[in-house]
Amino acid sequence: MEQAEAQYAQAKLAQLKGQYHVDVLVDWGDSNQEWKPGLWTRVELDRLHDSIALVANTMGETTNFIRNLGGVTVKKSDIGTHGGEALAHQVCFSTKGSFSAWTVVHEFGHAWDANYSWRLSRLLEKYTGGYTSPILSYLKQLAGLSDSGFLTPEKTPGRYGRRPGCNKAGYFYGDKPSGSNWSFNRVEDFAESVAMYLGWEKNNELSEHARNRIVRYQLKNGDKDAFNVIDNWMDYAQLFCPDNGDYAKTKRWQFVDDLVNGRINVD
Ligand SMILES: [Zn+2]
């Protein structure tokens, strides 16, 4: 943050706090008569605010957002290779590089789930007909039915561990998620489903990303998708490509729609 932007930043922070009960930990300011810029930029504050507004608008009233999230502190910290991390009332973004609108929504999705003791992702798992079984996952790998290495992912086409249960968590997802890999589990599924729902067929900062998640299943084997991943996309179309390529036809879309419209009992 430049010194000249400090006033703007201050107003943005007050807005985030007042509208959404979101606190950003300030890492810029005067220090011994010298300006310390910190890691946050004005563009990032705007992006954070706009992305939170997107989530809040989807939930209806801002009071719904405040109740669902219960107040969140946002900071930048050294979290290794991850772009972001979240717990209840807390979202961290990496100090290495910037973050996207997708990452904001994804991490706030986690914070929402966490505020309900991770019940929302359990409800999603059940709603979509999935289950988590490390034992069945182990047996599937033992039987050579996995599209990953044995108890480990491989970064080669056809070996990312995208099939149900072929991941570290032993998560057998039901219906059709927009994708899966070795790190996939019901918690990641929930966060991704929220972001997909918000972006799908809209005209917002998430929409291109959401579309790119689905159109890649129309690529040929060996093609590179919009995220620079080469895979055997044709082999995976059956698992991930929704009816008529329309994500709104999936159980995940329906679940988030039910959730944000208060049709799911979360208590
Ligand atoms: Zn995540």
Side-chain angles (χ1 to χ4, degrees):
M1 197 70 60
E2 300 303 324
Q3 194 163 12
E5 299 167 328
Q7 208 179 349
Y8 178 88
Q10 200 52 46
K12 207 67 183 165
L13 256 45
Q15 228 181 342
L16 281 164
K17 175 77 177 163
Q19 288 180 303
Y20 306 116
H21 292 196
V22 170
D23 281 291
V24 177
L25 285 195
V26 174
D27 67 351
W28 63 88
D30 280 314
S31 151
N32 296 328
Q33 323 271 320
E34 251 183 75
W35 181 254
K36 190 165 80 96
L39 294 166
W40 283 89
T41 65
R42 174 184 171 144
V43 170
E44 287 176 334
L45 275 190
D46 286 340
R47 189 178 298 139
L48 178 69
H49 183 255
D50 294 349
S51 307
I52 288 172
L54 209 56
V55 177
N57 290 342
T58 305
M59 290 173 174
E61 308 279 323
T62 48
T63 49
N64 294 347
F65 178 90
I66 292 165
R67 187 191 61 238
N68 288 340
L69 276 296
V72 180
T73 300
V74 181
K75 63 177 177 182
K76 289 210 173 196
S77 56
D78 187 1
I79 47 173
T81 54
H82 295 126
E85 259 178 30
L87 296 166
H89 316 294
Q90 192 182 308
V91 165
C92 295
F93 296 117
S94 174
T95 50
K96 299 186 183 74
S98 196
F99 54 81
S100 63
W102 189 272
T103 302
V104 175
V105 172
H106 178 105
E107 298 306 334
F108 273 77
H110 282 320
W112 179 16
D113 190 15
N115 192 37
Y116 286 83
S117 308
W118 309 101
R119 267 200 310 283
L120 306 183
S121 46
R122 285 178 189 272
L123 288 168
L124 170 79
E125 180 180 44
K126 201 170 157 205
Y127 190 103
T128 52
Y131 57 93
T132 301
S133 172
I135 289 171
L136 282 181
S137 170
Y138 182 77
L139 292 174
K140 188 168 184 175
Q141 292 176 61
L142 209 57
L145 299 172
S146 172
D147 63 340
S148 69
F150 188 67
L151 301 180
T152 175
E154 287 176 11
K155 297 254 182 258
T156 51
R159 305 294 292 166
Y160 284 97
R162 302 197 193 281
R163 289 186 202 155
C166 302
N167 47 58
K168 195 178 176 205
Y171 179 46
F172 291 77
Y173 53 82
D175 198 47
K176 292 175 175 176
S178 62
S180 181
N181 60 26
W182 188 253
S183 310
F184 204 51
N185 55 40
R186 63 180 170 232
V187 168
E188 292 309 323
D189 195 355
F190 177 78
E192 285 296 279
S193 297
V194 169
M196 280 298 294
Y197 176 85
L198 260 68
W200 186 251
E201 298 274 278
K202 300 276 178 7
N203 197 9
N204 60 41
E205 290 301 310
L206 307 179
S207 299
E208 194 189 358
H209 188 119
R211 206 179 73 88
N212 284 337
R213 300 266 308 186
I214 299 300
V215 293
R216 57 188 172 165
Y217 302 111
Q218 288 156 14
L219 296 173
K220 293 197 175 60
N221 286 349
D223 280 354
K224 190 186 274 185
D225 74 357
F227 308 102
N228 281 322
V229 176
I230 296 171
D231 208 349
N232 299 332
W233 303 110
M234 291 167 86
D235 299 353
Y236 289 109
Q238 209 189 338
L239 285 172
F240 301 114
C241 194
D243 293 346
N244 300 319
D246 183 3
Y247 185 77
K249 298 268 175 7
T250 66
K251 288 186 179 172
R252 276 169 184 73
W253 187 94
Q254 194 59 57
F255 174 80
V256 180
D257 193 60
D258 284 353
L259 187 62
V260 295
N261 289 295
R263 291 190 294 266
I264 287 179
N265 180 16
V266 295
D267 299 315

